[in-house]
């Protein structure tokens, strides 16, 4: 058993006498539940005190488990936040000129872009380095070069031909 009796589907049988009711009133210990040898107030006589105590213990255990779960969740969240902060600090860039790590504001400026090109550079040394460094050729550059080569490959029209007269 679980420390209590299950009375589901059963009716508790209680009895009282008029003498006890006159002497103690309806609120007093005047009811006798069959199977017990002492008088009780009505609510206690029809209740199941062992089950109520077991339910109270179960509620306390569930509350303790919930508190433990919430404490574990808080610890996990704190650990994840600390790990995220550590990873962020590891990614923080360093100034090429002075060797110091970027501040948050400076880092935001360094990451800000406009259509793939940096809007502003955080240091003068990196700005000059970026402007002197040749950029890699793009697909558009290759297309432009091919068009220029094709334009140069087309022979010039000879003067005095019929088509040259129409152009003027």
């Amino acid at each position: 058993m679980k420390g209590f009796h299950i009375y589901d589907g059963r009716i508790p049988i209680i009895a009282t006498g008029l003498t006890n009711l006159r002497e103690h009133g309806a609120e007093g210990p005047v009811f006798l539940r069959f199977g017990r040898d002492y008088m009780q107030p009505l609510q206690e006589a029809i209740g199941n005190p062992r089950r109520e105590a077991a339910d109270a213990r179960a509620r306390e255990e569930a509350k303790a488990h919930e508190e433990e779960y919430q404490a574990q969740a808080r610890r996990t969240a704190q650990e994840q936040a600390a790990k995220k902060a550590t990873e962020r600090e590891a990614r923080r860039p360093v100034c090429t000129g002075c060797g110091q790590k970027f501040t948050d504001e400076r880092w935001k400026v360094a990451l800000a872009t406009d259509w793939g090109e940096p809007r502003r550079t955080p240091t003068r040394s990196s700005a000059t380095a970026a402007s002197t460094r040749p950029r890699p050729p793009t697909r558009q550059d290759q297309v432009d070069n091919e068009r220029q080569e094709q334009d140069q490959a087309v022979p010039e029209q000879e003067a005095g031909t019929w088509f040259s007269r129409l152009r003027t």
Side-chain angles (χ1 to χ4, degrees):
M1 297 290 274
K2 297 180 181 178
F4 62 87
H5 297 288
I6 299 175
Y7 294 108
D8 293 336
R10 298 187 182 106
I11 300 172
I13 300 175
I14 56 173
T16 189
L18 290 177
T19 309
N20 287 335
L21 282 173
R22 281 189 208 119
E23 188 177 322
H24 299 286
E27 302 291 321
V30 294
F31 297 94
L32 178 66
R33 182 172 178 162
F34 284 26
R36 297 182 184 164
D37 57 354
Y38 52 92
M39 302 294 254
Q40 295 176 295
L42 180 62
Q43 292 296 324
E44 291 177 20
I46 61 173
N48 187 350
R50 288 191 230 159
R51 182 171 187 172
E52 292 167 3
D55 289 344
R57 281 192 307 272
R59 282 191 300 272
E60 288 175 11
E61 288 175 7
K63 185 179 177 182
H65 287 297
E66 180 65 25
E67 289 173 357
E68 182 180 331
Y69 175 76
Q70 289 178 354
Q72 179 64 30
R74 282 191 299 272
R75 283 192 300 270
T76 303
Q78 290 172 349
E79 290 170 0
Q80 288 176 348
K83 182 179 177 182
K84 190 174 181 180
T86 304
E87 289 173 355
R88 185 172 190 274
E89 286 302 314
R91 288 191 323 262
R92 186 179 295 272
V94 177
C95 178
T96 57
C98 63
Q100 291 183 344
K101 288 193 171 197
F102 283 17
T103 61
D104 287 338
E105 183 178 313
R106 191 171 174 193
W107 194 2
K108 285 180 188 175
V109 171
L111 292 177
T113 59
D114 187 22
W115 294 96
E117 297 294 323
R119 279 192 257 175
R120 288 188 348 193
T121 54
T123 62
R124 289 185 189 145
S125 61
S126 62
T128 57
S131 64
T132 59
R133 185 180 326 127
R135 65 180 178 89
T138 62
R139 176 72 181 138
Q140 186 63 35
D141 293 338
Q142 292 174 355
V143 170
D144 291 341
N145 289 339
E146 289 174 4
R147 284 185 185 160
Q148 286 176 356
E149 289 173 4
Q150 289 174 357
D151 289 343
Q152 291 172 0
V154 174
E156 289 293 323
Q157 295 276 336
E158 295 178 7
T161 64
W162 190 75
F163 290 112
S164 65
R165 292 181 195 152
L166 293 176
R167 287 189 200 163
T168 57

